[in-house]
Amino acid sequence: MPTSKHESGKSPKVLIPEVKLQARLTELAHEIAADYRGKEITAICILKGSFIFFADIIRKLDQPVVCEFLGVSSYGNRKVTSGEVKVTLDINEPLEGKHVIVFEDIVDSGLTLSYILNMIKTRQPASLRCCSLLMKPDSMKVDVDVDYVGFKIGNEFVIGYGLDYAGAYRGLPYIGYLEHDH
Ligand code: IMP
């Protein structure tokens, strides 16, 4: 059961329920589809955390979408960013001349997204935008424009719907948080 004890033995609480997530994804997809009418989108899924969000939102877009996957890691098993971004899986296809949208799970300090956008810019896409399911505006440390934002949340550490804590909880169908967690 989604709200029962999970891998670490802690009970997740629901922050954003599944129905609300899906409704917001439909709105975001409509916005994106309207902005990219008649264009092919190269959609980049940032692994690992974005895989569920990505799979759901690209199925709601009604134009041609080419999917690419970029693996990055910045947290290790901790809850605070190290500030160092490591590419664990690169995109082998050229991005030059493509209309690229980066799909990120969550923007916290903004360091990861900023690193990714700078890296992709060097590959000379025709256009580059980003979409993040979640954003923690009070935690931002760098100035990065997020073109499409699903939900703005507080500083709490969240899990589920692709997001993990030390590798666990990615399979929860909702965005949750852990109580009594230090
Ligand atoms: P940033 O570089 O601080 O913006 O962190 C972005 C990355 O850290 C995200 O792509 C997530 O993988 C991870 N992250 C940040 N906040 C959370 C959270 O609350 N839960 C799970 N992962 C998070």
Side-chain angles (χ1 to χ4, degrees), residues 46-50 72-75 78-85 104-116 132 134 136 139-142 144 153-160 162-166 170 175-176:
I46 307 302
L47 296 172
K48 299 177 184 167
S50 304
V72 297
S73 106
S74 62
Y75 273 42
R78 287 160 296 141
K79 283 189 175 181
V80 183
T81 183
S82 60
E84 276 171 45
V85 182
E104 177 63 302
D105 51 359
I106 185 164
V107 177
D108 186 354
S109 68
L111 289 163
T112 306
L113 186 59
S114 164
Y115 178 93
I116 290 168
S132 185
L134 303 170
K136 297 179 181 173
S139 299
M140 295 283 285
K141 286 193 192 140
V142 290
V144 51
I153 61 168
N155 284 345
E156 65 269 40
F157 193 86
V158 290
I159 47 158
L163 289 155
D164 75 312
Y165 171 53
R170 290 195 200 274
I175 298 290

Side-chain angles (χ1 to χ4, degrees), residues 6 31 52-53 55 65 68 73 80 111 163:
H6 227 263
E31 251 185 82
I52 295 179
F53 166 48
V65 179
E68 298 292 348
S73 106
V80 183
L111 289 163
L163 289 155

Side-chain angles (χ1 to χ4, degrees), residues 44 69-70 87 89-98 100 116-126 128:
I44 301 184
F69 299 87
L70 179 68
V87 173
L89 174 74
D90 204 349
I91 298 164
N92 292 322
E93 297 302 315
L95 298 175
E96 194 176 342
K98 307 286 185 193
V100 172
I116 290 168
L117 292 176
N118 285 332
M119 182 184 130
I120 292 172
K121 260 181 223 157
T122 66
R123 301 184 188 186
Q124 299 173 310
L128 175 59

Side-chain angles (χ1 to χ4, degrees), residues 2-6 10-14 159 169 172 174 177-178:
T3 48
S4 66
K5 295 225 174 195
H6 227 263
K10 290 168 189 147
S11 306
K13 303 281 176 211
V14 180
I159 47 158
Y169 303 107
L172 294 178
Y174 57 87
Y177 60 97
L178 296 173

Side-chain angles (χ1 to χ4, degrees), residues 11-29:
S11 306
K13 303 281 176 211
V14 180
L15 181 68
I16 308 172
E18 194 176 356
V19 173
K20 213 169 151 191
L21 277 177
Q22 292 303 328
R24 183 69 187 123
L25 254 60
T26 302
E27 288 175 0
L28 281 176

